[in-house]
Amino acid sequence: MLVPVWFTKELFQNALRIFHQNSDIHVLDVSTKDAIPAGENYTSDLFRSTIKYRCSKSGRIEVISVIVKCANEEGGVKENLEKELNLFEKEAEMFGRTFPAMYDVLGSFYTLSSKCLLTSLVPHKIIILEDLTALGFNVLPRHIGFDLEHCFLVVEKLAQMHAASVIMYENDPSLVKLYSEGLYGNNPLTRDWVAAGYKGLIDACSRWPGFEKYGYKLQALGEQALDRGFRAQKRKLGGFNVLNHGDLWVNNMMFAYHPNGNLKDMRFIDFQMNIFTSPAIDLHYFIATSTKIQVKLDHIEIILDHYYAQLIANLAKMQYSLERVPSREQFKKDYNYRAFYGLMGAATVLAFVKAAEGRTDASFENIIKDESPEGFRYHAYNNERYRKHMEHLLPYYDSFGILD
């Protein structure tokens, strides 16, 4: 990607002055490069900038690394998706108002996300964040997926975020007004993408011996398949709702480790798809897109139990009345009711997750438009990694009766 010409010293100097509340900061030099390879991010342009600056009072020269997120301004599906779903407005709201309110509940330390230096929507949409890799955090290879230990840490943090959002919402309901729709907003662009995903999966099922029946079932549903998926994410009147991350796949979680290799901590990144609805949404999406095959086979119920126990523990610690929290049985019933959301994630995002690295044709445009045997859609739905996961997920979702 080309570095935008408006990435100036003045831009970063202003960000640092605001963040440190210090007008004596002067930026001496900025160098910028792509933050991630092609095919690893689909809704924004990401850059890593190294800033050398000096504080006049101390005279000391400092160097800081930041992640710069900006909206794609070159047109096409990527830009249209960002505008259709208000992605930057949502993430700016998350860092500007929502996270501060959550940290008022949790305590004034950052455990869920990176710190934010600057958000701005005009004249350009941009968010500048601390570079978590400089603090020892890294993304795991998306092909591999998470083992049970990593899954436990993810749902522990998720339960903390969800619980804090319950208290935050009760304190100020206006803080969730931008989060009525998530990744699967019911609009023509998203419908085209999901329909293409279902078509890719149906075609792939016809090539997998013994799995043709799932393709037939999905095809027989037609437009209903889209509508059931969109309906599964809706808030229920009087239901238990939390602020979901909304895009909880491998690349949106970063982990840190102790020197001996033991798991130490994690952070969520990318808050453009948040949706205020049932916590089952994050759980279905995470299980579909981010877990190892063995976890999908043996540990889904264990993960759900661990999440629920952590949610209850966090809400109790926050002195929230547990009489207003669904019982474990009610929680599982709601999870089952929303199973089509998990299938929708598996039929769309999981195909991106398991695609080969380095494919420069990895894009929403090519999923939607390119049906050729050499194209990205064919590769995404017919590679061995994707097939192995779907061999377990298709029977799992079918067991809920959602394909009938």
Side-chain angles (χ1 to χ4, degrees):
M1 292 178 289
L2 292 175
V3 178
V5 295
W6 44 270
F7 275 32
T8 62
K9 289 181 183 178
E10 289 74 23
L11 171 72
F12 293 101
Q13 183 169 279
N14 182 48
L16 288 171
R17 286 179 174 181
I18 292 171
F19 181 68
H20 290 293
Q21 297 183 333
N22 184 350
S23 60
D24 287 328
I25 289 174
H26 300 277
V27 169
L28 307 174
D29 185 56
V30 178
S31 61
T32 300
K33 60 183 179 180
D34 289 351
I36 56 175
E40 299 298 317
N41 189 65
Y42 299 97
T43 57
S44 307
D45 292 341
L46 288 179
F47 300 93
R48 176 173 282 107
S49 293
T50 303
I51 310 166
K52 184 188 290 186
Y53 67 97
R54 183 179 62 232
C55 179
S56 297
K57 286 181 179 177
S58 67
R60 193 168 62 242
I61 292 177
E62 305 276 0
V63 177
I64 185 175
S65 178
V66 296
I67 296 297
V68 188
K69 193 170 199 174
C70 55
N72 182 277
E73 298 177 346
E74 297 175 2
V77 172
K78 194 173 182 179
E79 183 177 354
N80 293 341
L81 188 70
E82 186 275 316
K83 289 179 178 177
E84 187 76 47
L85 300 179
N86 298 314
L87 301 185
F88 260 82
E89 286 80 357
K90 288 174 78 170
E91 192 157 29
E93 177 80 351
M94 273 299 294
F95 282 108
R97 294 183 69 219
T98 310
F99 268 133
M102 277 199 208
Y103 290 129
D104 282 345
V105 175
L106 291 168
S108 59
F109 50 89
Y110 287 81
T111 61
L112 299 174
S113 65
S114 56
K115 295 179 182 178
C116 180
L117 281 71
L118 176 74
T119 65
S120 180
L121 299 176
V122 291
H124 303 282
K125 294 177 180 179
I126 183 171
I127 297 172
I128 302 178
L129 304 164
E130 69 176 337
D131 184 358
L132 289 173
T133 60
L135 302 178
F137 289 85
N138 286 288
V139 173
L140 271 61
R142 58 179 163 83
H143 291 154
I144 297 172
F146 299 155
D147 61 17
L148 188 59
E149 183 186 14
H150 285 78
C151 289
F152 274 179
L153 182 55
V154 170
V155 298
E156 286 163 16
K157 290 279 189 174
L158 192 63
Q160 191 180 58
M161 176 175 158
H162 286 177
S165 74
V166 171
I167 310 296
M168 176 199 75
Y169 172 74
E170 297 215 345
N171 291 340
D172 185 358
S174 74
L175 286 165
V176 303
K177 66 180 180 182
L178 284 188
Y179 311 126
S180 59
E181 283 195 338
L183 174 60
Y184 298 106
N186 193 354
N187 57 70
L189 184 59
T190 307
R191 291 184 76 91
D192 286 347
W193 169 45
V194 176
Y198 286 148
K199 188 173 189 308
L201 177 57
I202 291 166
D203 291 345
C205 283
S206 70
R207 301 183 185 92
W208 302 341
F211 284 80
E212 299 89 349
K213 66 177 180 179
Y214 300 111
Y216 296 148
K217 285 186 171 188
L218 197 52
Q219 190 162 27
L221 287 176
E223 285 288 309
Q224 276 193 62
L226 276 75
D227 294 330
R228 287 186 187 184
F230 293 131
R231 194 162 60 243
Q233 70 188 325
K234 295 295 183 185
R235 280 182 236 172
K236 283 184 184 176
L237 188 64
F240 179 77
N241 299 303
V242 302
L243 184 58
N244 287 260
H245 180 281
D247 195 15
L248 208 57
W249 72 290
V250 178
N251 280 18
N252 285 339
M253 290 161 274
M254 299 183 75
F255 296 87
Y257 300 86
H258 292 288
N260 64 4
N262 290 340
L263 190 54
K264 179 183 178 182
D265 200 1
M266 73 146 295
R267 298 285 189 275
F268 297 115
I269 60 173
D270 197 347
F271 298 92
Q272 297 188 331
M273 307 293 185
N274 301 76
I275 178 170
F276 190 71
T277 186
S278 163
I281 294 309
D282 268 346
L283 293 165
H284 269 300
Y285 189 91
F286 171 68
I287 288 165
T289 63
S290 304
T291 56
K292 284 180 176 287
I293 290 176
Q294 203 60 42
V295 169
K296 289 179 170 73
L297 270 172
D298 301 330
H299 301 311
I300 291 177
E301 289 301 316
I302 295 170
I303 290 169
L304 295 177
D305 284 341
H306 191 65
Y307 166 82
Y308 182 77
Q310 290 290 314
L311 179 71
I312 293 295
N314 276 284
L315 287 170
K317 191 174 4 177
M318 296 168 189
Q319 299 183 323
Y320 186 77
S321 172
L322 297 184
E323 292 179 356
R324 300 157 70 186
V325 182
S327 67
R328 178 66 179 85
E329 185 180 349
Q330 291 168 327
F331 165 78
K332 188 58 169 46
K333 185 178 179 181
D334 184 62
Y335 175 84
N336 295 352
Y337 169 79
R338 299 176 186 277
F340 218 105
Y341 192 86
L343 175 61
M344 190 160 62
T348 52
V349 174
L350 183 63
F352 281 103
V353 176
K354 300 303 174 185
E357 295 174 346
R359 285 193 68 117
T360 56
D361 60 346
S363 68
F364 286 110
E365 283 100 333
N366 289 327
I367 284 286
I368 294 170
K369 298 174 183 176
D370 187 355
E371 299 186 45
S372 69
E374 301 80 24
F376 179 67
R377 186 204 291 183
Y378 185 91
H379 162 74
Y381 288 90
N382 291 277
N383 70 75
E384 188 75 0
R385 283 185 294 264
Y386 183 69
R387 180 183 64 79
K388 286 182 176 178
H389 281 263
M390 293 309 294
E391 283 180 352
H392 299 298
L393 286 173
L394 284 168
Y396 175 65
Y397 294 124
D398 194 39
S399 72
F400 293 101
I402 62 173
L403 293 175
D404 298 325

